[in-house]
Amino acid sequence: MKIGILGGTFDPIHMGHLSIADAAMTQARLDRVLFIPAGHPRLKQSEPQASIEQRLEMVRLATADETRYQVSDIEANRPGPTYSVDTLEELSATLGAGTDLFFILGLDVLGQLDQWKDPERLLGLCRLLVLDRPGEQDFSWPDFYRWVPQAEGRVQVIDAPLVDVSATELRGRAAAGESLAGQTPGAVAVYIGQQSLYQQKS
């Protein structure tokens, strides 16, 4: 079984995330995509505004209509910083032989691989599905493979339609009481309103 791993803060999840998952599913012929909201992402400069429980619920709502999408709370209760290699180790042990893991990430994030915990071990646990984002034309693949030779043969580039939306923008719109229609699934937009998420605290 081929399983894609899509991690992130999902604060909140939006149509761009779902577009990436769909592109990865189609182009890499995945059987499933596993969404994993991060508990305490190490490389983020600030903590997520929504709680891990709220972010998990938003991802569940966003993926409820697609049976090939699943949500994992594997990082939800892990103390301390979140490391992708630890998550992959745990998933590999849990899912067992016969499962191939594909870690989905942006080309911009790939350039930070040297900042990750044990990148060599990570590459031994999964293949990488790399989203080719606009503005990354200066990325040097020859330099990358010289720097990380273990990645040879373990990287596939995928293309996803550009969805002009960001979590930062959505949080701003929610704080201003503006509509989130078309930018995040309807059930997520309703949940954000019900929970008064991203509202400025007085």
Side-chain angles (χ1 to χ4, degrees):
M1 179 174 285
K2 298 170 68 174
I3 299 179
I5 307 299
L6 184 57
T9 50
F10 301 120
D11 190 29
I13 190 169
H14 54 67
M15 303 308 289
H17 296 127
L18 299 177
S19 173
I20 291 168
D22 182 67
M25 180 84 72
T26 301
Q27 295 173 39
R29 299 182 179 180
L30 303 177
D31 296 296
R32 280 193 280 154
V33 171
L34 191 60
F35 289 74
I36 304 181
H40 303 279
R42 184 177 69 90
L43 294 179
K44 288 284 186 179
Q45 294 182 347
S46 59
E47 285 289 308
Q49 292 187 29
S51 70
I52 182 60
E53 292 80 14
Q54 290 168 327
R55 291 183 288 116
L56 277 165
E57 183 60 19
M58 286 190 283
V59 177
R60 291 187 184 107
L61 291 169
T63 59
D65 293 335
E66 173 53 79
T67 58
R68 296 174 299 171
Y69 292 167
Q70 294 186 348
V71 185
S72 171
D73 63 358
I74 190 171
E75 294 186 353
N77 299 310
R78 185 180 296 158
T82 297
Y83 295 101
S84 297
V85 68
D86 295 337
T87 297
L88 289 166
E89 289 267 17
E90 190 171 343
L91 287 173
S92 182
T94 302
L95 297 172
T99 299
D100 293 322
L101 299 178
F102 293 77
F103 196 85
I104 305 166
L105 70 165
L107 190 58
D108 53 336
V109 178
L110 186 69
Q112 302 174 13
L113 199 64
D114 63 327
Q115 300 178 42
W116 292 29
K117 177 184 176 182
D118 203 350
E120 294 82 7
R121 177 58 180 154
L122 183 143
L123 287 164
L125 291 164
C126 68
R127 293 181 175 86
L128 302 181
L129 297 180
V130 180
L131 181 68
D132 190 4
R133 294 183 182 279
E136 296 293 333
Q137 292 86 353
D138 293 336
F139 189 88
S140 172
W141 285 102
D143 286 347
F144 172 73
Y145 285 123
R146 280 195 295 270
W147 164 49
V148 191
Q150 301 89 347
E152 284 280 3
R154 301 191 68 77
V155 177
Q156 178 181 341
V157 176
I158 59 174
D159 297 306
L162 180 62
V163 179
D164 189 18
V165 60
S166 73
T168 301
E169 177 187 352
L170 283 178
R171 292 194 298 270
R173 293 179 67 87
E178 298 176 5
S179 172
L180 307 182
Q183 298 185 314
T184 192
V188 175
V190 170
Y191 180 82
I192 289 173
Q194 290 173 339
Q195 296 285 309
S196 299
L197 284 175
Y198 312 119
Q199 297 297 314
Q200 298 295 328
K201 294 180 174 61
S202 56

